[in-house]
Amino acid sequence: MASFVASKSKNLEGSIKVPGDKSISHRSIMLGSIANGETRISGFLQGEDSLATLNAFKEMGVNIKRSGSNVIINGVGMHGLKEPLKPLDLGNSGTSIRLMAGLLSAQSFNTELTGDDSLSKRPMARVIEPLTQMGAKITGPDSKPPLSIIGGQKLSSLTYTLPVASAQIKSCLLLAGLYAEGETCIIENAVTRDHTERMLKGFGYKVNSVNGMVSLSGQGELKACNIEVPSDISSSAFFMVAASIAENADITLQAVNINPTRTGVIDILRLMGANINLQNEREEAGELVADIRVCSANLKGIEIPHSLVPLAIDEFPVIFIAASCAKGVTVLTGARELRVKESDRIQVMADGLTSLGIDNIVLEDGIEITGGQFKRQDSIIKSHHDHRISMAFAVASVRSNFEINIDDVDNVKTSFPNFVELANQIGMNINEVN
Ligand code: S3P
């Protein structure tokens, strides 16, 4: 099991390109596989999560060739997937299992979807229940993975209000809706990432999105297209915080996806006083992209607006590090979902911050953090198999006068395989020890 030993770095500088967006990479494989024709993808994330999706579709008979971050898919059309010979292992990836649950509920064959220990603890009732309403036959012990899907069901369309702000549930149901008779309509009370809707349109499928309602009619076809995956704002967020809290920083993150359903981290950091500038804004393959320049700043504690929570849902571990270095108190509420991510991100972050001497109060749906000085840690930080916990505490080292030790960091490969290399390239001091 690898660990990080990370120590202080005063000066951060340079211009780097972080790897491709994880959400877009997953969807490019799923939609490319069921499209007609050849889809070419560049900038594909070579992380374990997106590779799990890629391998799963190969196991369902799709011809997919990958050379580094370039992928070519020979789409098999809406009904061309084949029954896999064994259960599909989706590793640590919640996005793979929830989105594929929708797509595979509509196939003519049976499938079993499995994953690692962390995935096996994550709630799936949120997709099982609405899919069952559509006519799917999908079960899991205590509504958790492994999920068993009995194929050959005729799905009917559904109008469904999301009980939690979740793009994974929305996307799962839209993918099932592609096969259902009639119009599937998803109503969301809070904005969530819209990559599925955007990409479906890129594949020539008609999707209507108005006032928090997304709908599509089933039984159409997807036409192959080329996809350029922009850099992942969730991975970029680690360096946005690192540069903000460093004594002397001026870094640029190139060609980052700034889809407005993902930019909560920029808004939150700016409210805290961060010095973040978007440059060279442009559109690439249906997604907005910009170069993001971040310089050091004196951060202050804030009350995080509820409307920004779903727009920054994956970035809270590192936002908590920003809060630890800010003057005053930062309060997050309305973020209960953080408890059912790859780990319970409220409790696991609180434990790590406490061991670094940062005062915090755990709330049922959030946390209060009082900014201060990191102290010598009294116990090794445990990532609980969660990539974003490992990387968040590595970022804390920028401002720590003591080494920070983080256990069990292999999981970083799920979303950001060259994190250490890029971090050290801009001047951070992270050692990975095996
Ligand atoms: C994702 C949606 C989010 C996010 C996850 C990726 C996606 O989950 O946390 O990392 O690609 O749709 P929820 O939609 O369940 O919040």
Side-chain angles (χ1 to χ4, degrees):
M1 221 166 27
S3 31
F4 284 158
V5 180
S7 46
K8 191 172 178 102
S9 34
K10 287 189 182 161
N11 303 315
L12 300 186
E13 61 177 355
S15 176
I16 52 173
K17 187 160 178 10
V18 311
D21 185 86
K22 183 153 75 70
S23 294
I24 298 176
S25 295
H26 283 299
R27 288 156 170 83
S28 66
I29 298 292
M30 295 180 196
L31 298 189
S33 293
I34 57 165
N36 293 324
E38 185 180 276
T39 289
R40 285 175 179 256
I41 306 163
S42 60
F44 181 77
L45 170 65
Q46 301 171 69
E48 287 173 355
D49 277 13
S50 37
L51 290 172
T53 294
L54 186 151
N55 288 331
F57 280 84
K58 272 186 167 175
E59 288 182 35
M60 290 188 286
V62 185
N63 181 354
I64 306 179
K65 290 202 178 66
R66 183 175 72 86
S67 163
S69 60
N70 293 316
V71 180
I72 301 177
I73 307 177
N74 281 306
V76 295
M78 295 297 285
H79 299 283
L81 295 177
K82 302 236 164 58
E83 179 159 8
L85 299 174
K86 52 182 192 327
L88 299 173
D89 183 354
L90 302 170
N92 190 245
S93 178
T95 307
S96 310
I97 200 164
R98 296 209 178 101
L99 271 60
M100 286 173 64
L103 187 61
L104 298 181
S105 285
Q107 305 303 316
S108 57
F109 50 83
N110 300 346
T111 34
E112 189 169 344
L113 305 177
T114 66
D116 67 8
D117 285 353
S118 153
L119 191 66
S120 305
K121 291 187 192 121
R122 297 186 66 187
M124 295 296 144
R126 54 182 61 198
V127 291
I128 293 176
E129 281 165 16
L131 285 173
T132 305
Q133 286 180 41
M134 293 177 84
K137 288 231 160 21
I138 170 168
T139 52
D142 198 18
S143 292
K144 301 217 165 91
L147 298 180
S148 300
I149 300 174
I150 311 283
Q153 314 302 321
K154 202 166 159 234
L155 300 190
S156 48
S157 57
L158 178 73
T159 294
Y160 190 71
T161 303
L162 295 181
V164 282
S166 166
Q168 291 182 349
I169 308 178
K170 172 177 66 175
S171 303
C172 162
L173 300 177
L174 290 175
L175 293 178
L178 290 177
Y179 292 84
E181 224 170 79
E183 193 184 47
T184 294
C185 177
I186 312 298
I187 300 159
E188 40 181 14
N189 293 318
V191 178
T192 66
R193 65 192 69 191
D194 64 357
H195 304 300
T196 304
E197 299 91 298
R198 281 175 191 258
M199 201 181 285
L200 278 169
K201 289 179 195 161
F203 276 89
Y205 208 94
K206 192 163 181 289
V207 181
N208 299 310
S209 312
V210 268
N211 298 331
M213 234 165 56
V214 186
S215 59
L216 54 76
S217 294
Q219 305 183 344
E221 301 221 311
L222 272 66
K223 284 191 278 306
C225 64
N226 293 341
I227 297 169
E228 204 173 323
V229 182
S231 292
D232 197 325
I233 192 167
S234 300
S235 299
S236 306
F238 296 103
F239 300 132
M240 289 183 210
V241 172
S244 297
I245 64 175
E247 261 175 56
N248 180 21
D250 183 350
I251 66 161
T252 299
L253 304 160
Q254 300 158 21
V256 180
N257 182 219
I258 51 156
N259 177 317
T261 63
R262 296 286 298 280
T263 45
V265 61
I266 296 178
D267 298 335
I268 292 169
L269 290 175
R270 278 181 172 160
L271 288 173
M272 296 176 81
N275 184 348
I276 301 180
N277 280 298
L278 303 190
Q279 302 172 332
N280 202 7
E281 284 184 45
R282 59 220 185 252
E283 194 177 312
E284 285 176 7
E287 291 279 357
L288 282 177
V289 168
D291 302 326
I292 302 182
R293 183 173 175 199
V294 191
C295 300
S296 324
N298 289 322
L299 300 183
K300 60 176 195 302
I302 58 162
E303 213 168 288
I304 298 175
H306 279 181
S307 59
L308 293 179
V309 171
L311 311 184
I313 195 68
D314 289 338
E315 287 69 73
F316 283 108
V318 80
I319 290 172
F320 296 170
I321 299 299
S324 306
C325 300
K327 192 165 185 289
V329 181
T330 295
V331 184
L332 171 70
T333 54
R336 195 175 287 109
E337 274 296 296
L338 293 181
R339 292 198 179 271
V340 290
K341 293 294 177 187
E342 286 84 329
S343 69
D344 174 346
R345 286 183 174 161
I346 294 176
Q347 193 58 53
V348 170
M349 282 303 297
D351 292 344
L353 292 177
T354 303
S355 90
L356 290 174
I358 298 295
D359 287 338
N360 63 83
I361 302 171
V362 170
L363 310 172
E364 194 221 336
D365 62 344
I367 192 166
E368 272 183 39
I369 297 170
T370 305
Q373 180 61 49
F374 294 120
K375 313 237 163 56
R376 191 188 290 279
Q377 69 194 108
D378 56 19
S379 58
I380 196 156
I381 288 164
K382 299 216 176 315
S383 76
H384 290 262
H385 312 297
D386 187 334
H387 52 140
R388 299 200 202 279
I389 303 290
S390 303
M391 290 186 276
F393 281 109
V395 167
S397 67
V398 167
R399 271 279 275 273
S400 169
N401 293 322
F402 305 96
E403 269 181 359
I404 295 187
N405 291 273
I406 309 147
D407 230 2
D408 182 15
V409 299
D410 299 290
N411 45 59
V412 167
K413 294 196 199 83
T414 59
S415 67
F416 199 164
N418 60 344
F419 167 71
V420 173
E421 191 187 320
L422 289 182
N424 290 342
Q425 196 176 316
I426 57 166
M428 288 171 70
N429 285 313
I430 308 176
N431 247 316
E432 188 167 340
V433 192
N434 282 299

